[in-house]
Amino acid sequence: MGDTGRDRAPPPGQEPPPMPRLALYAVAVCVLAVVAAVISFVQGSWLGIVWVLLAGLSSNMAWFYLRRQRAHAVG
């Protein structure tokens, strides 16, 4: 459950998945947070600021995991 930091080589003949699972989860959270922020602001609530901050955090996490996989695949 979660990233343990261990890098496992894929079995011979198999390519690694195109996008790490944690990056997909982070993108999903980012999209949902943006939708929640829009809904919150439309309703006149300033709570949308929290959703914007969560969207920023999750998008940074997605970039981190994508760049980490690309670096691992190259080197």
Side-chain angles (χ1 to χ4, degrees), residues 43-75:
Q43 292 179 349
S45 173
W46 287 98
L47 188 62
I49 294 172
V50 175
W51 292 113
V52 170
L53 293 173
L54 182 63
L57 176 69
S58 60
S59 70
N60 285 342
M61 288 176 59
W63 277 115
F64 171 78
Y65 286 119
L66 284 174
R67 287 178 54 190
R68 189 175 85 171
Q69 183 187 13
R70 287 181 190 159
H72 183 269
V74 170

Side-chain angles (χ1 to χ4, degrees), residues 11-37:
Q14 279 189 340
E15 296 181 16
M19 189 178 213
R21 193 178 320 173
L22 290 175
L24 283 175
Y25 293 153
V27 168
V29 169
C30 182
V31 169
L32 291 174
V34 168
V35 170

